[in-house]
Amino acid sequence: MSELSVNHLLGIKYLKESDIQLIFETADHFKEVINRSIKKVPSLRDITIANIFFENSTRTKLSFELAEKRLSADVLNFSASQSSVKKGETLIDTVNNILSMKVDMVVMRHPNPGAGIFLAKHVKASIINAGDGAHEHPTQALLDSFSIREKLGDVAGKNVVIVGDILHSRVALSNIFALKLQGANVKVCGPKTLIPKYVESLGVGVEMDLKKALEWCDVANMLRIQNERLDISYFPTTREYTQQFGVNKRLLDSLDKEIVIMHPGPINRGVEITSDVADSKQSIILNQVENGVAVRMAVIYLLASKIKQ
Amino acid sequence: MGQKVLLSSKEINIILHRLACQLLENHEDFKDTVLIGIQPRGIYVAERLVKILLEEYKVKHIDLGFLDITFYRDDFRRGEKTLEATKTKINFLVEDKKVVLIDDVLYTGRSINAALTALQSFGRPREVELLTLIDRRFSRHLPIQPNYRGRQVDAIDNEKVKVMWEENDGEDIIYLINR
């Protein structure tokens, strides 16, 4: 069987299409495992993984931790707010100290783009990027594509629109890379101020009119408005944003087809999507969460298999 | 690389019928018994046995499952390549059942060890038996022996037993290959 072409998961940009297929096939098997009454396998019983989160996270951290525990790995959890980083320690020193405790793999979230790449160059451990600033969030993109594949049978040839704050979104960038690599057609939609100028160079179309974007697409991936990253005013008011770029049931019902609604979470209910859309049959938001564990198990398993004894 | 035929199609057929009869003697109507073929190659043996039992010995119903043991193996990270998973399909409970694990070749016993661990994810069986088409004795790393064996073979370590099936390889035949 083929193996991953990379030793770290730093971004979708560094993966080949065959890597994504291998991850999905492995995740299929893990999805079967996590639906058993006993959801644990002993594969990684001699592997120790450190989850290092320099930024707040609930679902990604829980999802990684659950994936690691279901593979029987030993897990260390570390968050920057309780650490010596506050005392001035550098990133490399922090990680090297953790690695001295015989840690094999590091799952890291960091506010600075490229932090994972920097770390991979300087430490001997397998690094998984769990989100680095506005750069990439590869496991989210993988689970999003996996969920589309599960719902629609394939990703290739499907029309996907990513709606919202594209400028600050690592989810959007990783999704664009992943979807394009698998042969999907991608458009972005959102306030002009939140669409990066380079986006068309990635082979992505821009659609300013949400209704037109929804009429075109098979899947709409609704991004969260990241208030914490909006240091200046990119749109007049949240209310106006919702009126122009929020999806409600009336809008969905006005389309002549049924599209799939996705959201990476956490949802600002009533802003990006209304509650009746989030909880509707067209929404696969909870499937995304379930698939997140299976996909992360697959990524960890495949990377761990490259750490030879 | 030399090879000799260990069992012909006719011999395999006779052995499968004998094994089916032995299962029938111990499990009668298979009400409390389930058969589980170990992926990837044990499933062919299991499917053949079920076919014989249903069609020729008129057993009414047999629960047959397929068990993938990839994630339970003890050689993860020891080989050259990533272990490839296959499908697990067990649509019944093994709780309090008599389970017959079925594989094509019993060699070191490590696969069966992994299968016993994997089986625990599906409940606590009343008892577990092992059926294997070929038993390579003198090669065991673990104290595991079959309850039902097709043919016992004395093969040295650089010899390989290759089992081929009509549905997959064009004919039923078993070779002993000198690597």
Side-chain angles (χ1 to χ4, degrees), chain A residues 1 3 29-30 32 36-38 41-44 46-47 301-302 304-305 307-309, chain B residues 70-74 76-88 120-122:
Chain A
M1 160 161 167
E3 54 178 16
H29 298 302
F30 282 123
E32 184 268 319
R36 293 178 191 168
S37 53
I38 297 167
V41 294
S43 301
L44 265 67
D46 53 352
I47 291 270
Y301 174 83
L302 291 167
S305 71
I307 306 170
K308 294 298 172 201
Q309 285 189 323
Chain B
T70 310
F71 302 131
Y72 300 86
R73 291 175 63 120
D74 62 2
F76 180 64
R77 300 202 295 125
R78 281 182 168 80
E80 286 294 304
K81 288 185 173 175
T82 308
L83 298 171
E84 184 175 7
T86 48
K87 226 179 184 61
T88 289
Q120 291 171 12
S121 296
F122 296 89

mmCIF file of all heavy atoms in Angstrom, chain A residues 1 3 29-30 32 36-38 41-44 46-47 301-302 304-305 307-309, chain B residues 70-74 76-88 120-122:
data_model
loop_
_atom_site.group_PDB
_atom_site.id
_atom_site.type_symbol
_atom_site.label_atom_id
_atom_site.label_comp_id
_atom_site.label_asym_id
_atom_site.label_seq_id
_atom_site.Cartn_x
_atom_site.Cartn_y
_atom_site.Cartn_z
ATOM 1 N N MET A 1 0.839 -1.197 0.000
ATOM 2 C CA MET A 1 0.000 0.000 0.000
ATOM 3 C C MET A 1 0.871 1.242 0.000
ATOM 4 O O MET A 1 1.959 1.264 0.537
ATOM 5 C CB MET A 1 -0.883 -0.049 1.250
ATOM 6 C CG MET A 1 -1.462 1.239 1.682
ATOM 7 S SD MET A 1 -2.848 0.897 2.757
ATOM 8 C CE MET A 1 -3.135 2.480 3.439
ATOM 9 N N GLU A 3 2.018 5.050 0.984
ATOM 10 C CA GLU A 3 2.022 5.762 2.263
ATOM 11 C C GLU A 3 2.019 7.250 1.964
ATOM 12 O O GLU A 3 2.175 7.671 0.819
ATOM 13 C CB GLU A 3 3.228 5.350 3.103
ATOM 14 C CG GLU A 3 4.557 5.508 2.397
ATOM 15 C CD GLU A 3 5.729 5.139 3.296
ATOM 16 O OE1 GLU A 3 5.527 4.496 4.337
ATOM 17 O OE2 GLU A 3 6.847 5.516 2.943
ATOM 18 N N HIS A 29 -12.349 3.342 7.253
ATOM 19 C CA HIS A 29 -12.209 2.212 8.193
ATOM 20 C C HIS A 29 -12.356 2.676 9.638
ATOM 21 O O HIS A 29 -12.978 2.004 10.455
ATOM 22 C CB HIS A 29 -10.859 1.521 7.999
ATOM 23 C CG HIS A 29 -10.690 0.925 6.632
ATOM 24 N ND1 HIS A 29 -11.548 -0.016 6.125
ATOM 25 C CD2 HIS A 29 -9.787 1.158 5.655
ATOM 26 C CE1 HIS A 29 -11.178 -0.342 4.889
ATOM 27 N NE2 HIS A 29 -10.101 0.359 4.594
ATOM 28 N N PHE A 30 -11.789 3.854 9.934
ATOM 29 C CA PHE A 30 -11.906 4.356 11.316
ATOM 30 C C PHE A 30 -13.331 4.773 11.630
ATOM 31 O O PHE A 30 -13.763 4.688 12.770
ATOM 32 C CB PHE A 30 -10.916 5.502 11.558
ATOM 33 C CG PHE A 30 -9.517 5.016 11.791
ATOM 34 C CD1 PHE A 30 -8.466 5.446 11.002
ATOM 35 C CD2 PHE A 30 -9.241 4.116 12.805
ATOM 36 C CE1 PHE A 30 -7.175 4.991 11.210
ATOM 37 C CE2 PHE A 30 -7.958 3.635 13.018
ATOM 38 C CZ PHE A 30 -6.919 4.083 12.213
ATOM 39 N N GLU A 32 -15.902 3.215 10.667
ATOM 40 C CA GLU A 32 -16.560 1.952 11.076
ATOM 41 C C GLU A 32 -16.170 1.630 12.515
ATOM 42 O O GLU A 32 -17.020 1.246 13.328
ATOM 43 C CB GLU A 32 -16.138 0.840 10.096
ATOM 44 C CG GLU A 32 -16.811 -0.505 10.313
ATOM 45 C CD GLU A 32 -16.031 -1.422 11.233
ATOM 46 O OE1 GLU A 32 -14.797 -1.493 11.137
ATOM 47 O OE2 GLU A 32 -16.675 -2.054 12.091
ATOM 48 N N ARG A 36 -18.566 1.324 16.481
ATOM 49 C CA ARG A 36 -18.734 0.084 17.248
ATOM 50 C C ARG A 36 -19.032 0.428 18.701
ATOM 51 O O ARG A 36 -18.814 1.567 19.127
ATOM 52 C CB ARG A 36 -17.426 -0.729 17.231
ATOM 53 C CG ARG A 36 -17.046 -1.259 15.895
ATOM 54 C CD ARG A 36 -15.716 -1.982 16.017
ATOM 55 N NE ARG A 36 -15.162 -2.287 14.717
ATOM 56 C CZ ARG A 36 -13.917 -2.701 14.528
ATOM 57 N NH1 ARG A 36 -13.101 -2.866 15.555
ATOM 58 N NH2 ARG A 36 -13.481 -2.971 13.327
ATOM 59 N N SER A 37 -19.465 -0.572 19.454
ATOM 60 C CA SER A 37 -19.706 -0.295 20.874
ATOM 61 C C SER A 37 -18.373 -0.052 21.597
ATOM 62 O O SER A 37 -18.299 0.753 22.516
ATOM 63 C CB SER A 37 -20.497 -1.423 21.513
ATOM 64 O OG SER A 37 -19.863 -2.640 21.263
ATOM 65 N N ILE A 38 -17.325 -0.747 21.178
ATOM 66 C CA ILE A 38 -15.990 -0.456 21.731
ATOM 67 C C ILE A 38 -15.205 0.248 20.627
ATOM 68 O O ILE A 38 -14.890 -0.341 19.600
ATOM 69 C CB ILE A 38 -15.294 -1.739 22.204
ATOM 70 C CG1 ILE A 38 -16.116 -2.343 23.352
ATOM 71 C CG2 ILE A 38 -13.861 -1.463 22.651
ATOM 72 C CD1 ILE A 38 -15.749 -3.733 23.733
ATOM 73 N N VAL A 41 -8.898 1.222 19.257
ATOM 74 C CA VAL A 41 -7.984 0.222 18.700
ATOM 75 C C VAL A 41 -6.597 0.435 19.316
ATOM 76 O O VAL A 41 -6.277 1.546 19.723
ATOM 77 C CB VAL A 41 -7.896 0.308 17.154
ATOM 78 C CG1 VAL A 41 -9.214 -0.062 16.512
ATOM 79 C CG2 VAL A 41 -7.434 1.672 16.696
ATOM 80 N N PRO A 42 -5.796 -0.629 19.397
ATOM 81 C CA PRO A 42 -4.513 -0.485 20.115
ATOM 82 C C PRO A 42 -3.329 -0.018 19.265
ATOM 83 O O PRO A 42 -2.198 -0.038 19.740
ATOM 84 C CB PRO A 42 -4.273 -1.904 20.636
ATOM 85 C CG PRO A 42 -4.952 -2.786 19.666
ATOM 86 C CD PRO A 42 -6.075 -2.021 19.048
ATOM 87 N N SER A 43 -3.562 0.435 18.033
ATOM 88 C CA SER A 43 -2.465 0.706 17.092
ATOM 89 C C SER A 43 -1.341 1.576 17.662
ATOM 90 O O SER A 43 -0.173 1.313 17.452
ATOM 91 C CB SER A 43 -3.006 1.409 15.851
ATOM 92 O OG SER A 43 -3.956 0.629 15.224
ATOM 93 N N LEU A 44 -1.693 2.657 18.360
ATOM 94 C CA LEU A 44 -0.678 3.650 18.753
ATOM 95 C C LEU A 44 -0.307 3.560 20.233
ATOM 96 O O LEU A 44 0.036 4.567 20.847
ATOM 97 C CB LEU A 44 -1.184 5.067 18.425
ATOM 98 C CG LEU A 44 -0.719 5.629 17.087
ATOM 99 C CD1 LEU A 44 -1.335 4.853 15.942
ATOM 100 C CD2 LEU A 44 -1.066 7.093 16.960
ATOM 101 N N ASP A 46 2.239 2.678 21.713
ATOM 102 C CA ASP A 46 3.595 3.095 22.090
ATOM 103 C C ASP A 46 3.944 4.492 21.562
ATOM 104 O O ASP A 46 5.114 4.848 21.465
ATOM 105 C CB ASP A 46 4.620 2.069 21.588
ATOM 106 C CG ASP A 46 4.464 1.794 20.101
ATOM 107 O OD1 ASP A 46 3.480 2.278 19.522
ATOM 108 O OD2 ASP A 46 5.321 1.101 19.527
ATOM 109 N N ILE A 47 2.940 5.265 21.234
ATOM 110 C CA ILE A 47 3.160 6.623 20.693
ATOM 111 C C ILE A 47 2.643 7.654 21.698
ATOM 112 O O ILE A 47 1.577 7.471 22.284
ATOM 113 C CB ILE A 47 2.409 6.785 19.351
ATOM 114 C CG1 ILE A 47 3.040 5.921 18.270
ATOM 115 C CG2 ILE A 47 2.314 8.239 18.922
ATOM 116 C CD1 ILE A 47 4.129 6.573 17.464
ATOM 117 N N TYR A 301 -2.725 8.127 12.389
ATOM 118 C CA TYR A 301 -2.304 6.742 12.132
ATOM 119 C C TYR A 301 -1.275 6.688 11.000
ATOM 120 O O TYR A 301 -0.234 6.054 11.128
ATOM 121 C CB TYR A 301 -3.537 5.901 11.784
ATOM 122 C CG TYR A 301 -3.236 4.481 11.366
ATOM 123 C CD1 TYR A 301 -3.022 3.486 12.312
ATOM 124 C CD2 TYR A 301 -3.152 4.131 10.019
ATOM 125 C CE1 TYR A 301 -2.744 2.187 11.929
ATOM 126 C CE2 TYR A 301 -2.866 2.843 9.629
ATOM 127 C CZ TYR A 301 -2.673 1.868 10.586
ATOM 128 O OH TYR A 301 -2.378 0.585 10.200
ATOM 129 N N LEU A 302 -1.569 7.388 9.906
ATOM 130 C CA LEU A 302 -0.685 7.330 8.736
ATOM 131 C C LEU A 302 0.650 8.018 9.007
ATOM 132 O O LEU A 302 1.700 7.553 8.558
ATOM 133 C CB LEU A 302 -1.377 7.947 7.519
ATOM 134 C CG LEU A 302 -2.568 7.137 6.983
ATOM 135 C CD1 LEU A 302 -3.384 7.949 5.989
ATOM 136 C CD2 LEU A 302 -2.092 5.842 6.320
ATOM 137 N N ALA A 304 1.975 8.368 12.049
ATOM 138 C CA ALA A 304 2.668 7.557 13.071
ATOM 139 C C ALA A 304 3.343 6.346 12.447
ATOM 140 O O ALA A 304 4.401 5.913 12.903
ATOM 141 C CB ALA A 304 1.674 7.117 14.148
ATOM 142 N N SER A 305 2.742 5.812 11.376
ATOM 143 C CA SER A 305 3.339 4.626 10.744
ATOM 144 C C SER A 305 4.686 4.965 10.110
ATOM 145 O O SER A 305 5.475 4.084 9.795
ATOM 146 C CB SER A 305 2.389 4.049 9.704
ATOM 147 O OG SER A 305 2.319 4.906 8.584
ATOM 148 N N ILE A 307 6.874 6.874 11.700
ATOM 149 C CA ILE A 307 7.856 7.010 12.784
ATOM 150 C C ILE A 307 8.337 5.605 13.098
ATOM 151 O O ILE A 307 7.650 4.838 13.759
ATOM 152 C CB ILE A 307 7.213 7.639 14.044
ATOM 153 C CG1 ILE A 307 6.528 8.964 13.699
ATOM 154 C CG2 ILE A 307 8.244 7.831 15.138
ATOM 155 C CD1 ILE A 307 5.664 9.504 14.837
ATOM 156 N N LYS A 308 9.491 5.239 12.568
ATOM 157 C CA LYS A 308 9.954 3.851 12.714
ATOM 158 C C LYS A 308 10.584 3.631 14.079
ATOM 159 O O LYS A 308 11.194 4.527 14.657
ATOM 160 C CB LYS A 308 10.960 3.489 11.619
ATOM 161 C CG LYS A 308 10.348 3.482 10.229
ATOM 162 C CD LYS A 308 9.241 2.448 10.083
ATOM 163 C CE LYS A 308 8.509 2.599 8.760
ATOM 164 N NZ LYS A 308 7.188 1.995 8.757
ATOM 165 N N GLN A 309 10.454 2.399 14.558
ATOM 166 C CA GLN A 309 11.027 2.071 15.868
ATOM 167 C C GLN A 309 12.525 1.833 15.760
ATOM 168 O O GLN A 309 12.993 1.400 14.741
ATOM 169 C CB GLN A 309 10.352 0.819 16.406
ATOM 170 C CG GLN A 309 8.974 1.105 16.915
ATOM 171 C CD GLN A 309 8.392 -0.073 17.648
ATOM 172 O OE1 GLN A 309 8.608 -1.206 17.257
ATOM 173 N NE2 GLN A 309 7.646 0.200 18.679
ATOM 174 N N THR B 70 -6.093 -5.092 10.994
ATOM 175 C CA THR B 70 -4.964 -4.178 10.749
ATOM 176 C C THR B 70 -4.620 -3.317 11.965
ATOM 177 O O THR B 70 -3.450 -3.204 12.339
ATOM 178 C CB THR B 70 -5.304 -3.242 9.567
ATOM 179 O OG1 THR B 70 -5.750 -4.039 8.493
ATOM 180 C CG2 THR B 70 -4.101 -2.436 9.129
ATOM 181 N N PHE B 71 -5.653 -2.694 12.555
ATOM 182 C CA PHE B 71 -5.387 -1.744 13.641
ATOM 183 C C PHE B 71 -5.037 -2.443 14.962
ATOM 184 O O PHE B 71 -4.779 -1.787 15.959
ATOM 185 C CB PHE B 71 -6.590 -0.818 13.826
ATOM 186 C CG PHE B 71 -6.951 -0.050 12.580
ATOM 187 C CD1 PHE B 71 -8.255 -0.006 12.115
ATOM 188 C CD2 PHE B 71 -5.979 0.611 11.855
ATOM 189 C CE1 PHE B 71 -8.589 0.690 10.958
ATOM 190 C CE2 PHE B 71 -6.300 1.311 10.698
ATOM 191 C CZ PHE B 71 -7.608 1.351 10.244
ATOM 192 N N TYR B 72 -5.069 -3.765 14.963
ATOM 193 C CA TYR B 72 -4.795 -4.528 16.194
ATOM 194 C C TYR B 72 -3.469 -5.284 16.110
ATOM 195 O O TYR B 72 -3.100 -5.984 17.031
ATOM 196 C CB TYR B 72 -5.939 -5.521 16.455
ATOM 197 C CG TYR B 72 -7.262 -4.823 16.628
ATOM 198 C CD1 TYR B 72 -8.048 -4.503 15.532
ATOM 199 C CD2 TYR B 72 -7.716 -4.452 17.884
ATOM 200 C CE1 TYR B 72 -9.247 -3.838 15.671
ATOM 201 C CE2 TYR B 72 -8.914 -3.791 18.042
ATOM 202 C CZ TYR B 72 -9.677 -3.477 16.930
ATOM 203 O OH TYR B 72 -10.861 -2.811 17.084
ATOM 204 N N ARG B 73 -2.776 -5.162 14.998
ATOM 205 C CA ARG B 73 -1.546 -5.932 14.812
ATOM 206 C C ARG B 73 -0.416 -5.387 15.674
ATOM 207 O O ARG B 73 -0.358 -4.197 15.968
ATOM 208 C CB ARG B 73 -1.139 -5.905 13.331
ATOM 209 C CG ARG B 73 -2.100 -6.687 12.459
ATOM 210 C CD ARG B 73 -1.713 -6.521 11.031
ATOM 211 N NE ARG B 73 -0.390 -7.086 10.810
ATOM 212 C CZ ARG B 73 -0.149 -8.066 9.973
ATOM 213 N NH1 ARG B 73 -1.111 -8.612 9.281
ATOM 214 N NH2 ARG B 73 1.070 -8.505 9.805
ATOM 215 N N ASP B 74 0.518 -6.287 16.037
ATOM 216 C CA ASP B 74 1.621 -5.844 16.889
ATOM 217 C C ASP B 74 2.854 -5.448 16.084
ATOM 218 O O ASP B 74 3.897 -5.166 16.649
ATOM 219 C CB ASP B 74 1.973 -6.928 17.931
ATOM 220 C CG ASP B 74 2.452 -8.215 17.286
ATOM 221 O OD1 ASP B 74 2.553 -8.263 16.039
ATOM 222 O OD2 ASP B 74 2.731 -9.183 18.021
ATOM 223 N N PHE B 76 2.794 -2.857 13.843
ATOM 224 C CA PHE B 76 2.632 -1.482 13.361
ATOM 225 C C PHE B 76 3.945 -0.723 13.572
ATOM 226 O O PHE B 76 4.532 -0.792 14.640
ATOM 227 C CB PHE B 76 1.503 -0.807 14.153
ATOM 228 C CG PHE B 76 1.248 0.616 13.755
ATOM 229 C CD1 PHE B 76 0.801 0.927 12.479
ATOM 230 C CD2 PHE B 76 1.450 1.652 14.658
ATOM 231 C CE1 PHE B 76 0.562 2.246 12.109
ATOM 232 C CE2 PHE B 76 1.208 2.970 14.297
ATOM 233 C CZ PHE B 76 0.762 3.262 13.014
ATOM 234 N N ARG B 77 4.417 -0.021 12.600
ATOM 235 C CA ARG B 77 5.668 0.755 12.613
ATOM 236 C C ARG B 77 6.917 -0.127 12.544
ATOM 237 O O ARG B 77 8.024 0.355 12.655
ATOM 238 C CB ARG B 77 5.773 1.662 13.848
ATOM 239 C CG ARG B 77 4.644 2.663 13.922
ATOM 240 C CD ARG B 77 5.002 3.839 14.776
ATOM 241 N NE ARG B 77 5.198 3.473 16.156
ATOM 242 C CZ ARG B 77 6.286 3.739 16.837
ATOM 243 N NH1 ARG B 77 7.287 4.369 16.283
ATOM 244 N NH2 ARG B 77 6.391 3.379 18.096
ATOM 245 N N ARG B 78 6.760 -1.458 12.367
ATOM 246 C CA ARG B 78 7.946 -2.308 12.286
ATOM 247 C C ARG B 78 8.273 -2.670 10.841
ATOM 248 O O ARG B 78 9.400 -2.974 10.514
ATOM 249 C CB ARG B 78 7.741 -3.584 13.104
ATOM 250 C CG ARG B 78 7.945 -3.349 14.582
ATOM 251 C CD ARG B 78 7.796 -4.635 15.364
ATOM 252 N NE ARG B 78 8.271 -4.474 16.734
ATOM 253 C CZ ARG B 78 7.563 -3.909 17.694
ATOM 254 N NH1 ARG B 78 6.362 -3.446 17.447
ATOM 255 N NH2 ARG B 78 8.058 -3.806 18.925
ATOM 256 N N GLY B 79 7.258 -2.631 9.982
ATOM 257 C CA GLY B 79 7.475 -3.016 8.587
ATOM 258 C C GLY B 79 7.902 -1.847 7.735
ATOM 259 O O GLY B 79 7.996 -0.710 8.204
ATOM 260 N N GLU B 80 8.143 -2.140 6.489
ATOM 261 C CA GLU B 80 8.567 -1.109 5.536
ATOM 262 C C GLU B 80 7.399 -0.193 5.167
ATOM 263 O O GLU B 80 7.547 0.995 4.992
ATOM 264 C CB GLU B 80 9.090 -1.786 4.257
ATOM 265 C CG GLU B 80 10.455 -2.437 4.412
ATOM 266 C CD GLU B 80 11.547 -1.415 4.678
ATOM 267 O OE1 GLU B 80 11.696 -0.502 3.866
ATOM 268 O OE2 GLU B 80 12.239 -1.538 5.717
ATOM 269 N N LYS B 81 6.222 -0.813 5.053
ATOM 270 C CA LYS B 81 5.083 -0.065 4.520
ATOM 271 C C LYS B 81 3.974 0.071 5.553
ATOM 272 O O LYS B 81 3.888 -0.708 6.492
ATOM 273 C CB LYS B 81 4.542 -0.785 3.282
ATOM 274 C CG LYS B 81 5.463 -0.663 2.088
ATOM 275 C CD LYS B 81 4.844 -1.285 0.870
ATOM 276 C CE LYS B 81 5.700 -1.008 -0.357
ATOM 277 N NZ LYS B 81 5.211 -1.685 -1.531
ATOM 278 N N THR B 82 3.126 1.064 5.303
ATOM 279 C CA THR B 82 1.956 1.251 6.150
ATOM 280 C C THR B 82 1.017 0.062 5.957
ATOM 281 O O THR B 82 0.809 -0.391 4.841
ATOM 282 C CB THR B 82 1.213 2.536 5.731
ATOM 283 O OG1 THR B 82 2.155 3.599 5.700
ATOM 284 C CG2 THR B 82 0.103 2.877 6.692
ATOM 285 N N LEU B 83 0.478 -0.442 7.066
ATOM 286 C CA LEU B 83 -0.435 -1.584 6.970
ATOM 287 C C LEU B 83 -1.744 -1.139 6.327
ATOM 288 O O LEU B 83 -2.290 -0.102 6.678
ATOM 289 C CB LEU B 83 -0.700 -2.154 8.370
ATOM 290 C CG LEU B 83 0.516 -2.704 9.106
ATOM 291 C CD1 LEU B 83 0.158 -3.033 10.539
ATOM 292 C CD2 LEU B 83 1.047 -3.936 8.410
ATOM 293 N N GLU B 84 -2.213 -1.941 5.409
ATOM 294 C CA GLU B 84 -3.428 -1.577 4.667
ATOM 295 C C GLU B 84 -4.658 -2.203 5.316
ATOM 296 O O GLU B 84 -4.722 -3.416 5.504
ATOM 297 C CB GLU B 84 -3.303 -2.078 3.231
ATOM 298 C CG GLU B 84 -4.467 -1.669 2.378
ATOM 299 C CD GLU B 84 -4.268 -2.071 0.929
ATOM 300 O OE1 GLU B 84 -3.291 -2.774 0.625
ATOM 301 O OE2 GLU B 84 -5.092 -1.666 0.104
ATOM 302 N N ALA B 85 -5.604 -1.360 5.634
ATOM 303 C CA ALA B 85 -6.817 -1.859 6.276
ATOM 304 C C ALA B 85 -7.796 -2.386 5.224
ATOM 305 O O ALA B 85 -7.777 -1.956 4.080
ATOM 306 C CB ALA B 85 -7.476 -0.742 7.066
ATOM 307 N N THR B 86 -8.598 -3.341 5.616
ATOM 308 C CA THR B 86 -9.689 -3.825 4.757
ATOM 309 C C THR B 86 -10.993 -3.695 5.546
ATOM 310 O O THR B 86 -11.000 -3.187 6.658
ATOM 311 C CB THR B 86 -9.460 -5.294 4.349
ATOM 312 O OG1 THR B 86 -9.124 -6.025 5.521
ATOM 313 C CG2 THR B 86 -8.366 -5.422 3.333
ATOM 314 N N LYS B 87 -12.062 -4.174 4.966
ATOM 315 C CA LYS B 87 -13.377 -3.924 5.558
ATOM 316 C C LYS B 87 -13.721 -4.896 6.684
ATOM 317 O O LYS B 87 -13.513 -6.094 6.543
ATOM 318 C CB LYS B 87 -14.431 -4.060 4.457
ATOM 319 C CG LYS B 87 -15.431 -2.943 4.476
ATOM 320 C CD LYS B 87 -16.438 -3.078 3.373
ATOM 321 C CE LYS B 87 -17.361 -1.902 3.370
ATOM 322 N NZ LYS B 87 -16.732 -0.627 3.164
ATOM 323 N N THR B 88 -14.248 -4.358 7.751
ATOM 324 C CA THR B 88 -14.849 -5.206 8.776
ATOM 325 C C THR B 88 -16.348 -5.177 8.556
ATOM 326 O O THR B 88 -16.937 -4.119 8.355
ATOM 327 C CB THR B 88 -14.520 -4.671 10.181
ATOM 328 O OG1 THR B 88 -13.135 -4.895 10.440
ATOM 329 C CG2 THR B 88 -15.338 -5.388 11.251
ATOM 330 N N GLN B 120 -12.734 -8.633 20.736
ATOM 331 C CA GLN B 120 -13.241 -8.062 21.993
ATOM 332 C C GLN B 120 -14.021 -6.768 21.769
ATOM 333 O O GLN B 120 -14.802 -6.365 22.618
ATOM 334 C CB GLN B 120 -12.078 -7.785 22.949
ATOM 335 C CG GLN B 120 -11.439 -9.042 23.480
ATOM 336 C CD GLN B 120 -10.168 -8.759 24.249
ATOM 337 O OE1 GLN B 120 -9.877 -7.616 24.572
ATOM 338 N NE2 GLN B 120 -9.409 -9.792 24.533
ATOM 339 N N SER B 121 -13.785 -6.117 20.622
ATOM 340 C CA SER B 121 -14.524 -4.886 20.323
ATOM 341 C C SER B 121 -15.973 -5.169 19.958
ATOM 342 O O SER B 121 -16.772 -4.265 19.810
ATOM 343 C CB SER B 121 -13.873 -4.139 19.156
ATOM 344 O OG SER B 121 -12.600 -3.721 19.519
ATOM 345 N N PHE B 122 -16.289 -6.431 19.772
ATOM 346 C CA PHE B 122 -17.663 -6.782 19.355
ATOM 347 C C PHE B 122 -18.403 -7.558 20.445
ATOM 348 O O PHE B 122 -19.447 -8.128 20.186
ATOM 349 C CB PHE B 122 -17.612 -7.590 18.055
ATOM 350 C CG PHE B 122 -17.060 -6.798 16.907
ATOM 351 C CD1 PHE B 122 -15.696 -6.792 16.650
ATOM 352 C CD2 PHE B 122 -17.886 -6.017 16.120
ATOM 353 C CE1 PHE B 122 -15.169 -6.044 15.621
ATOM 354 C CE2 PHE B 122 -17.372 -5.262 15.082
ATOM 355 C CZ PHE B 122 -16.014 -5.262 14.833
#
